[in-house]
Amino acid sequence: MMDSAAASPVNQSGDRLTRGLVDGLRSGIDGFAFMCRHPSLWSHGVKPVLLNILVAVAVLLGAIFFGQWLVNWATDGLGDGLWDRVKWWSYLFAMVFLTLGLAFISYLILMSAICSTSFSKLAREVEFKLGAKEDDLAEISTIGGIVDSLRAMIKLVTINLLLLLLNVIPGIGSLAAFTIGLYIDSYILGSEFLGIPLELRGKRWPERQEFARAWRGATLGIGANVTGLMFIPIVGAVFQTTTVVGAVLIHRRLKGLPTEVPREGETDSFDVEPSPETGQAGD
């Protein structure tokens, strides 16, 4: 049975923000369930999972070595007095948050550069699985894609670097940077993931940002989901990939498009077109 935006709790006007947030938070689980109902999609999900794990390992190792050096540099020369101990803990707290912030920025840049193509291919296959035709989707030019990626990356890096400056304020600065950063990064990440199905339809970065603002609840939910998954080894990489599928499903609900077809191996009263890329039936 087909779902529509009218039936989706995300699209109800009464509590749109809250409902959208909940749907966004569970986007990884919904995407995982969809892929389990349509296991052929896993052939398109393995590559981004592996790439994501490699990126996470590289960033983690870099953060450990850099963080250790940074703490040693910041605390070098401190004595054993009470005030020196207070400064030592303040510096440690600030340097840890600074390291985590830089690691977060590095991870997002690498994930965007390395995994974005695989994410798009997976989302495209999900669209075909749900009955989209080749004419429904549109390619953004290579130059346009590069420009959009640079705009998103510049926004992400600039905001996070500004937030990192708050770490120079001992204690409360790091807490403020973490709190504000969590909200802003969730929004940025959510807009990028929710923008994947829009990008497949030829929508440029400003249009994708406008859509994210219109559906802020779903955007923040997806972004918070992705942010939290970054701190879970291996499993997080799997569910970040399935969140791409969940973002496609949310976008289709918001646009009133079907979000379900029969499970693979089942039949239904309508014919499902084969995927233009794989030649396999969409169900």
Side-chain angles (χ1 to χ4, degrees), residues 2-4 34 37 130 249 252-253 257-261:
M2 305 261 185
D3 296 324
S4 67
F34 186 89
R37 293 195 298 272
L130 291 169
L249 297 177
R252 291 182 69 88
R253 291 192 196 109
L257 300 171
T259 59
E260 193 53 272
V261 292

Side-chain angles (χ1 to χ4, degrees), residues 9-274:
V10 175
N11 213 15
Q12 293 176 356
S13 58
D15 48 356
R16 177 162 130 177
L17 180 65
T18 304
R19 296 283 188 161
L21 182 65
V22 171
D23 269 26
L25 287 171
R26 57 177 291 171
S27 57
I29 296 175
D30 289 344
F32 182 84
F34 186 89
M35 292 182 73
C36 288
R37 293 195 298 272
H38 307 280
S40 64
L41 289 173
W42 286 108
S43 63
H44 301 275
V46 171
K47 183 177 179 180
V49 169
L50 294 178
L51 290 174
N52 207 326
I53 291 174
L54 290 175
V55 168
V57 170
V59 171
L60 177 62
L61 292 176
I64 291 174
F65 287 111
F66 178 74
Q68 185 176 13
W69 174 85
L70 197 61
V71 170
N72 291 336
W73 172 80
T75 59
D76 185 41
L78 294 180
D80 295 328
L82 177 61
W83 179 240
D84 283 334
R85 288 183 179 275
V86 171
K87 289 195 291 185
W88 190 92
W89 282 105
S90 297
Y91 290 156
L92 175 65
F93 193 66
M95 293 306 103
V96 167
F97 271 97
L98 178 61
T99 301
L100 289 175
L102 291 174
F104 185 74
I105 294 173
S106 301
Y107 176 82
L108 292 179
I109 292 175
L110 290 174
M111 183 179 70
S112 176
I114 296 174
C115 300
S116 59
T117 301
S118 297
F119 283 163
S120 293
K121 288 181 178 178
L122 174 61
R124 189 179 185 86
E125 200 61 32
V126 173
E127 294 281 6
F128 289 140
K129 185 77 65 176
L130 291 169
K133 307 296 190 297
E134 188 70 46
D135 292 341
D136 297 333
L137 307 181
E139 294 283 348
I140 295 178
S141 67
T142 302
I143 295 178
I146 293 174
V147 171
D148 286 351
S149 297
L150 287 175
R151 294 178 72 172
M153 194 175 298
I154 290 172
K155 177 182 178 180
L156 177 69
V157 172
T158 301
I159 291 176
N160 278 277
L161 287 177
L162 291 175
L163 288 172
L164 286 178
L165 294 177
L166 291 174
N167 286 283
V168 301
I169 306 174
I172 191 171
S174 298
L175 181 61
F178 174 79
T179 305
I180 299 172
L182 179 61
Y183 175 85
I184 293 178
D185 287 331
S186 293
Y187 179 82
I188 293 175
L189 279 172
S191 66
E192 290 303 308
F193 271 70
L194 190 58
I196 292 175
L198 290 165
E199 184 178 4
L200 292 176
R201 289 167 171 79
K203 303 298 184 183
R204 298 296 302 275
W205 190 75
E207 294 176 281
R208 302 199 296 268
Q209 292 297 299
E210 183 179 351
F211 187 86
R213 286 192 295 270
W215 301 100
R216 185 175 297 272
T219 301
L220 287 171
I222 293 172
N225 172 61
V226 174
T227 302
L229 290 171
M230 290 181 179
F231 300 96
I232 306 176
I234 302 178
V235 174
V238 174
F239 278 91
Q240 278 187 358
T241 300
T242 62
T243 298
V244 174
V245 179
V248 172
L249 297 177
I250 287 178
H251 171 261
R252 291 182 69 88
R253 291 192 196 109
L254 296 176
K255 302 298 291 185
L257 300 171
T259 59
E260 193 53 272
V261 292
R263 293 172 181 263
E264 292 181 359
E266 294 181 359
T267 58
D268 199 75
S269 57
F270 55 86
D271 295 327
V272 180
E273 294 290 334

